[in-house]
Amino acid sequence: MADKGEESRRATPAATTSADPSAVPSAAPAGPAAEPPVPPARPLDSIDRDILRILQTDGRASIRSVAERVHVSRANAYARINRLVEDGVIRGFGARVDHERAGQGASAYITLKIVQNSWRTVREQLQALPGATHIALVSGDFDVLLLVHTPDNRALRELVLTRIQSIPEVLSTRTLLVFEETDLGPRPDRPAELA
């Protein structure tokens, strides 16, 4: 989908599904609230890395299963997972979703150029968009890369032309339709993920 000849510009002053709660400890919910300072994470050892691999592959793994697979006690596994959550290494637990089968048949990457120093304001507004699944501040020809999933192209058009382009700090957008995507999440056949 092209946005008014591939690139649209507006005059603006120039000046950036939860797993079973009994399976593993829950992480604090993410949201647009002010971000408290996060203390530096403690160093990870090989057991911590193994736990992360297991939970990335199966976020519903029970504490008992994790403990058995990394050869530690359940109490040790539970304490390690809690520490990984507290340190912000584990940001949450979720499911990898097939968006098309879940009724989100249109996907797109949207690039945005934004007013300098407006990243936090723009990020907060983008987080509130329906179907927004990934937001990144990047370097290069644009400032922000946004991945969205919508029910269809009409909803995608509405999202871009009405919601995103109405954000005052957004100078321009460009929409790149996704024709096919493959989730490259962690898999047991890729053991070097966290080495």
Side-chain angles (χ1 to χ4, degrees):
M1 175 171 134
D3 302 334
K4 296 184 184 178
E6 292 300 310
E7 183 113 16
S8 68
R9 298 198 175 272
R10 284 198 308 268
T12 305
T16 183
T17 339
S18 296
D20 177 8
S22 65
V24 289
S26 61
E35 299 171 18
V38 179
R42 291 165 269 198
L44 303 182
D45 63 18
S46 62
I47 294 172
D48 293 327
R49 288 187 181 87
D50 288 344
I51 289 172
L52 289 175
R53 279 190 202 99
I54 291 166
L55 293 177
Q56 284 182 298
T57 303
D58 179 9
R60 296 183 61 170
S62 68
I63 296 290
R64 179 179 175 186
S65 168
V66 171
E68 288 173 356
R69 291 167 67 183
V70 299
H71 311 293
V72 297
S73 70
R74 280 191 286 185
N76 189 338
Y78 187 82
R80 284 173 178 268
I81 292 170
N82 269 338
R83 179 177 53 80
L84 292 167
V85 170
E86 289 168 7
D87 285 356
V89 175
I90 294 176
R91 297 185 300 174
F93 301 91
R96 289 191 301 273
V97 175
D98 182 319
H99 294 283
E100 188 170 356
R101 292 182 63 89
Q104 303 290 86
S107 298
Y109 285 97
I110 303 167
T111 65
L112 296 83
K113 289 186 182 178
I114 62 175
V115 172
Q116 186 175 3
N117 297 322
S118 66
W119 162 242
R120 286 177 181 81
T121 302
V122 171
R123 178 182 58 192
E124 189 172 307
Q125 294 177 75
L126 295 177
Q127 286 174 330
L129 293 175
T133 58
H134 184 81
I135 304 166
L137 178 66
V138 297
S139 64
D141 294 336
F142 49 88
D143 304 306
V144 178
L145 182 63
L146 170 68
L147 174 61
V148 297
H149 302 283
T150 61
D152 53 36
N153 283 342
R154 175 173 287 201
L156 178 60
R157 179 181 182 277
E158 179 71 16
L159 184 73
V160 174
L161 299 180
T162 303
R163 300 285 300 270
I164 296 174
Q165 291 185 0
S166 70
I167 298 171
E169 296 83 3
V170 173
L171 302 173
S172 67
T173 66
R174 187 170 201 163
T175 301
L176 308 166
L177 282 179
V178 174
F179 296 127
E180 185 176 321
E181 59 186 322
T182 302
D183 183 6
L184 297 180
R187 300 187 316 248
D189 62 332
R190 294 195 343 217
E193 294 263 340
L194 295 168

Coordinates of all heavy atoms in Angstrom, one line a residue, residues 76-131:
N76 N 15.6 -23.7 42.9 CA 16.7 -23.0 42.2 C 16.2 -22.5 40.9 O 16.4 -21.3 40.6 CB 17.9 -24.0 42.0 CG 19.1 -23.2 41.5 OD1 19.0 -22.2 40.9 ND2 20.3 -23.9 41.7
A77 N 15.5 -23.3 40.2 CA 14.9 -22.9 38.9 C 14.0 -21.7 39.1 O 14.0 -20.7 38.3 CB 14.2 -24.0 38.2
Y78 N 13.1 -21.8 40.1 CA 12.1 -20.7 40.4 C 12.8 -19.4 40.7 O 12.5 -18.4 40.2 CB 11.2 -21.2 41.5 CG 10.1 -20.2 41.7 CD1 8.9 -20.3 41.0 CD2 10.2 -19.3 42.7 CE1 7.9 -19.4 41.2 CE2 9.1 -18.4 43.0 CZ 8.0 -18.4 42.2 OH 7.0 -17.5 42.4
A79 N 13.9 -19.5 41.6 CA 14.6 -18.3 42.0 C 15.3 -17.7 40.8 O 15.4 -16.5 40.6 CB 15.6 -18.7 43.1
R80 N 15.9 -18.6 39.9 CA 16.6 -18.0 38.7 C 15.6 -17.3 37.8 O 16.0 -16.3 37.3 CB 17.3 -19.2 38.0 CG 18.6 -19.6 38.7 CD 19.2 -20.8 38.0 NE 20.4 -21.3 38.6 CZ 21.6 -20.9 38.2 NH1 21.8 -20.0 37.2 NH2 22.7 -21.3 38.8
I81 N 14.5 -17.9 37.6 CA 13.5 -17.3 36.7 C 13.0 -16.0 37.3 O 12.9 -15.0 36.6 CB 12.3 -18.3 36.4 CG1 12.8 -19.4 35.5 CG2 11.2 -17.5 35.6 CD1 11.8 -20.6 35.4
N82 N 12.8 -16.0 38.6 CA 12.4 -14.7 39.2 C 13.4 -13.6 39.1 O 13.1 -12.5 38.8 CB 12.1 -14.9 40.7 CG 10.6 -15.3 41.0 OD1 9.8 -14.9 40.2 ND2 10.4 -15.9 42.1
R83 N 14.7 -14.0 39.2 CA 15.8 -13.1 39.1 C 15.9 -12.5 37.6 O 16.1 -11.4 37.4 CB 17.2 -13.7 39.5 CG 18.3 -12.7 39.3 CD 19.6 -13.3 39.8 NE 20.0 -14.6 39.2 CZ 20.5 -14.8 37.9 NH1 20.8 -13.7 37.2 NH2 20.8 -15.9 37.5
L84 N 15.7 -13.4 36.7 CA 15.7 -13.0 35.3 C 14.6 -12.0 35.0 O 14.7 -11.1 34.2 CB 15.6 -14.2 34.3 CG 16.9 -15.1 34.3 CD1 16.6 -16.5 33.6 CD2 18.1 -14.4 33.7
V85 N 13.4 -12.2 35.6 CA 12.3 -11.3 35.4 C 12.6 -10.0 36.1 O 12.5 -8.9 35.5 CB 11.0 -11.9 36.0 CG1 9.9 -10.9 36.1 CG2 10.5 -13.1 35.2
E86 N 13.1 -10.0 37.4 CA 13.4 -8.8 38.1 C 14.5 -8.0 37.4 O 14.5 -6.8 37.4 CB 13.9 -9.2 39.5 CG 12.8 -9.7 40.4 CD 13.3 -10.3 41.7 OE1 14.5 -10.2 42.0 OE2 12.5 -10.9 42.5
D87 N 15.5 -8.7 36.8 CA 16.6 -8.0 36.1 C 16.1 -7.4 34.8 O 16.9 -6.8 34.1 CB 17.8 -8.9 36.0 CG 18.5 -9.1 37.3 OD1 18.2 -8.5 38.3 OD2 19.5 -9.9 37.2
G88 N 14.9 -7.8 34.3 CA 14.5 -7.3 33.0 C 15.0 -8.1 31.9 O 14.8 -7.7 30.7
V89 N 15.7 -9.2 32.1 CA 16.2 -10.1 31.1 C 14.9 -10.8 30.4 O 14.8 -10.8 29.2 CB 17.1 -11.2 31.6 CG1 17.5 -12.1 30.5 CG2 18.4 -10.5 32.2
I90 N 14.0 -11.3 31.2 CA 12.7 -11.8 30.7 C 11.7 -10.6 30.9 O 11.5 -10.2 32.0 CB 12.3 -13.0 31.5 CG1 13.2 -14.2 31.3 CG2 10.9 -13.4 31.1 CD1 12.9 -15.4 32.1
R91 N 11.2 -10.2 29.7 CA 10.3 -9.1 29.7 C 8.8 -9.5 29.8 O 8.0 -8.7 30.0 CB 10.5 -8.2 28.5 CG 11.9 -7.6 28.5 CD 12.1 -6.6 27.3 NE 11.9 -7.3 26.1 CZ 11.9 -6.7 24.9 NH1 12.0 -5.4 24.8 NH2 11.7 -7.4 23.8
G92 N 8.6 -10.8 29.6 CA 7.2 -11.3 29.7 C 7.1 -12.7 29.1 O 8.1 -13.2 28.5
F93 N 6.0 -13.2 29.1 CA 5.7 -14.6 28.6 C 4.5 -14.4 27.6 O 3.5 -13.8 27.9 CB 5.4 -15.6 29.7 CG 6.5 -15.7 30.7 CD1 6.5 -14.9 31.8 CD2 7.6 -16.6 30.5 CE1 7.6 -15.0 32.7 CE2 8.6 -16.7 31.4 CZ 8.6 -15.9 32.5
G94 N 4.7 -15.0 26.4 CA 3.6 -14.9 25.5 C 3.5 -16.0 24.5 O 4.3 -17.0 24.6
A95 N 2.6 -15.9 23.6 CA 2.5 -16.9 22.5 C 2.9 -16.4 21.2 O 2.6 -15.2 20.9 CB 1.0 -17.4 22.5
R96 N 3.5 -17.2 20.3 CA 3.7 -16.8 19.0 C 2.4 -17.1 18.2 O 1.9 -18.2 18.2 CB 4.9 -17.6 18.4 CG 6.2 -17.1 19.0 CD 7.4 -17.6 18.3 NE 7.5 -19.1 18.2 CZ 8.0 -19.9 19.1 NH1 8.5 -19.4 20.2 NH2 8.0 -21.2 19.0
V97 N 1.9 -16.0 17.5 CA 0.6 -16.1 16.9 C 0.7 -16.1 15.4 O 1.5 -15.4 14.8 CB -0.3 -14.9 17.4 CG1 -1.6 -14.9 16.7 CG2 -0.4 -14.9 18.9
D98 N -0.1 -17.0 14.8 CA -0.3 -16.9 13.3 C -1.3 -15.8 13.1 O -2.5 -16.1 13.3 CB -0.7 -18.3 12.7 CG -0.9 -18.3 11.2 OD1 -1.4 -17.2 10.7 OD2 -0.5 -19.2 10.6
H99 N -0.9 -14.7 12.7 CA -1.8 -13.5 12.6 C -2.9 -13.7 11.6 O -4.1 -13.3 11.8 CB -1.0 -12.2 12.3 CG -0.1 -11.9 13.5 ND1 -0.6 -11.3 14.7 CD2 1.2 -12.1 13.7 CE1 0.4 -11.1 15.5 NE2 1.5 -11.6 14.9
E100 N -2.6 -14.4 10.5 CA -3.6 -14.6 9.5 C -4.7 -15.5 10.0 O -5.9 -15.2 9.9 CB -3.0 -15.2 8.2 CG -4.0 -15.2 7.1 CD -3.3 -15.6 5.7 OE1 -2.1 -15.7 5.7 OE2 -4.0 -15.7 4.8
R101 N -4.4 -16.6 10.7 CA -5.3 -17.5 11.2 C -6.1 -16.9 12.4 O -7.2 -17.3 12.7 CB -4.7 -18.8 11.7 CG -4.2 -19.6 10.5 CD -3.5 -20.9 10.9 NE -4.5 -21.8 11.6 CZ -5.3 -22.7 10.9 NH1 -5.2 -22.8 9.6 NH2 -6.1 -23.5 11.6
A102 N -5.5 -15.8 13.0 CA -6.2 -15.1 14.1 C -7.0 -14.0 13.6 O -7.5 -13.2 14.4 CB -5.1 -14.6 15.1
G103 N -7.3 -13.9 12.3 CA -8.1 -12.9 11.8 C -7.4 -11.6 11.4 O -8.1 -10.5 11.2
Q104 N -6.1 -11.6 11.4 CA -5.4 -10.4 11.1 C -4.7 -10.6 9.7 O -3.5 -10.9 9.7 CB -4.3 -10.1 12.2 CG -4.9 -9.9 13.6 CD -5.7 -8.6 13.7 OE1 -6.9 -8.6 13.4 NE2 -5.1 -7.5 14.1
G105 N -5.4 -10.6 8.6 CA -4.9 -11.0 7.3 C -4.0 -10.0 6.6 O -3.4 -10.3 5.7
A106 N -3.9 -8.8 7.1 CA -3.1 -7.8 6.5 C -2.0 -7.4 7.4 O -2.2 -7.0 8.6 CB -3.9 -6.5 6.0
S107 N -0.7 -7.5 7.0 CA 0.4 -7.1 7.8 C 1.2 -6.1 7.0 O 1.3 -6.2 5.8 CB 1.3 -8.3 8.1 OG 0.5 -9.2 8.9
A108 N 1.9 -5.2 7.7 CA 2.7 -4.2 7.0 C 3.8 -3.6 8.0 O 3.6 -3.5 9.2 CB 1.9 -3.0 6.5
Y109 N 4.9 -3.3 7.4 CA 5.9 -2.5 8.1 C 5.7 -1.1 7.7 O 5.5 -0.8 6.5 CB 7.3 -2.9 7.7 CG 7.8 -4.2 8.3 CD1 7.7 -5.4 7.6 CD2 8.3 -4.3 9.6 CE1 8.0 -6.6 8.2 CE2 8.6 -5.5 10.2 CZ 8.5 -6.6 9.5 OH 8.9 -7.8 10.1
I110 N 5.6 -0.2 8.6 CA 5.4 1.2 8.3 C 6.6 2.0 8.8 O 7.0 1.9 10.0 CB 4.1 1.8 9.0 CG1 2.9 0.9 8.5 CG2 3.9 3.2 8.7 CD1 1.7 1.1 9.4
T111 N 7.2 2.8 7.9 CA 8.4 3.6 8.3 C 7.9 5.0 8.6 O 7.0 5.5 7.9 CB 9.5 3.6 7.3 OG1 9.0 4.3 6.1 CG2 10.0 2.2 6.9
L112 N 8.4 5.6 9.6 CA 8.0 7.0 9.9 C 9.2 7.9 10.1 O 10.2 7.5 10.7 CB 7.2 7.0 11.3 CG 5.9 6.3 11.4 CD1 6.1 4.8 11.7 CD2 5.1 6.9 12.5
K113 N 9.0 9.1 9.6 CA 10.0 10.2 9.9 C 9.2 11.0 10.9 O 8.1 11.4 10.7 CB 10.3 11.0 8.7 CG 11.2 10.2 7.7 CD 11.7 11.1 6.6 CE 12.5 10.3 5.6 NZ 13.0 11.0 4.4
I114 N 9.9 11.4 12.0 CA 9.3 12.1 13.1 C 10.1 13.3 13.4 O 11.3 13.5 13.1 CB 9.1 11.2 14.3 CG1 10.4 10.7 14.9 CG2 8.2 10.0 14.0 CD1 10.3 9.9 16.2
V115 N 9.4 14.2 14.2 CA 10.1 15.5 14.6 C 11.2 15.1 15.6 O 11.0 14.2 16.4 CB 9.0 16.3 15.4 CG1 9.7 17.5 16.1 CG2 7.9 16.8 14.4
Q116 N 12.3 15.7 15.5 CA 13.5 15.5 16.3 C 13.1 15.5 17.8 O 12.3 16.4 18.2 CB 14.6 16.4 16.0 CG 15.9 16.1 16.7 CD 17.0 17.1 16.2 OE1 16.8 18.0 15.5 NE2 18.2 16.9 16.8
N117 N 13.6 14.6 18.6 CA 13.4 14.5 20.0 C 11.9 14.2 20.4 O 11.5 14.5 21.5 CB 13.8 15.8 20.7 CG 15.3 16.0 20.5 OD1 16.1 15.1 20.6 ND2 15.7 17.3 20.3
S118 N 11.1 13.6 19.5 CA 9.7 13.3 19.9 C 9.5 11.8 20.0 O 8.4 11.4 20.1 CB 8.8 13.9 18.8 OG 9.0 13.2 17.6
W119 N 10.6 11.0 20.1 CA 10.5 9.6 20.1 C 9.5 9.1 21.2 O 8.7 8.3 21.0 CB 11.9 9.0 20.2 CG 11.9 7.5 20.7 CD1 12.5 7.1 21.8 CD2 11.3 6.4 20.1 NE1 12.3 5.7 21.9 CE2 11.6 5.3 20.9 CE3 10.6 6.2 18.9 CZ2 11.1 4.0 20.6 CZ3 10.1 4.9 18.6 CH2 10.4 3.8 19.4
R120 N 9.7 9.5 22.5 CA 8.9 9.0 23.6 C 7.5 9.3 23.4 O 6.6 8.5 23.6 CB 9.5 9.6 24.9 CG 10.8 8.9 25.3 CD 11.3 9.5 26.6 NE 12.6 8.9 26.9 CZ 13.8 9.2 26.4 NH1 13.8 10.1 25.5 NH2 14.9 8.6 26.8
T121 N 7.1 10.5 22.9 CA 5.7 10.9 22.7 C 5.1 10.0 21.6 O 4.0 9.5 21.7 CB 5.7 12.4 22.3 OG1 6.2 13.2 23.3 CG2 4.2 12.8 22.1
V122 N 5.9 9.9 20.5 CA 5.4 9.1 19.3 C 5.3 7.6 19.7 O 4.2 7.0 19.4 CB 6.3 9.2 18.1 CG1 5.9 8.3 17.0 CG2 6.3 10.7 17.6
R123 N 6.2 7.1 20.4 CA 6.2 5.7 20.9 C 4.9 5.4 21.7 O 4.2 4.4 21.5 CB 7.4 5.3 21.7 CG 7.4 3.9 22.2 CD 8.6 3.5 23.0 NE 8.7 4.5 24.1 CZ 9.8 4.6 24.9 NH1 10.9 3.8 24.7 NH2 9.8 5.4 25.9
E124 N 4.6 6.3 22.6 CA 3.4 6.1 23.5 C 2.2 6.1 22.6 O 1.3 5.3 22.9 CB 3.4 7.3 24.5 CG 2.3 7.1 25.5 CD 2.4 8.2 26.6 OE1 3.5 8.4 27.2 OE2 1.4 8.9 26.8
Q125 N 2.1 6.9 21.6 CA 0.9 6.9 20.8 C 0.8 5.7 19.8 O -0.2 5.2 19.6 CB 0.8 8.2 19.9 CG 0.6 9.4 20.8 CD 0.7 10.7 20.0 OE1 -0.3 11.0 19.3 NE2 1.8 11.5 20.2
L126 N 2.0 5.2 19.4 CA 2.0 4.1 18.5 C 1.7 2.8 19.3 O 1.0 1.9 18.8 CB 3.4 3.9 17.9 CG 3.8 5.0 16.9 CD1 5.2 4.7 16.3 CD2 2.8 5.1 15.7
Q127 N 2.1 2.7 20.6 CA 1.8 1.6 21.4 C 0.3 1.4 21.6 O -0.2 0.3 21.8 CB 2.4 1.7 22.8 CG 3.9 1.5 22.8 CD 4.6 1.8 24.1 OE1 4.1 2.7 24.9 NE2 5.6 1.1 24.4
A128 N -0.5 2.5 21.5 CA -1.9 2.4 21.7 C -2.7 2.0 20.4 O -3.9 1.8 20.5 CB -2.4 3.8 22.2
L129 N -2.0 1.9 19.3 CA -2.6 1.6 18.1 C -3.1 0.1 18.1 O -2.3 -0.8 18.5 CB -1.7 1.8 16.9 CG -1.3 3.2 16.6 CD1 -0.3 3.3 15.4 CD2 -2.6 4.1 16.2
P130 N -4.3 -0.2 17.5 CA -4.7 -1.6 17.4 C -3.8 -2.3 16.4 O -3.6 -1.8 15.3 CB -6.1 -1.5 17.0 CG -6.2 -0.1 16.3 CD -5.3 0.7 17.0
G131 N -3.3 -3.5 16.7 CA -2.6 -4.3 15.8 C -1.1 -4.0 15.8 O -0.3 -4.7 15.1

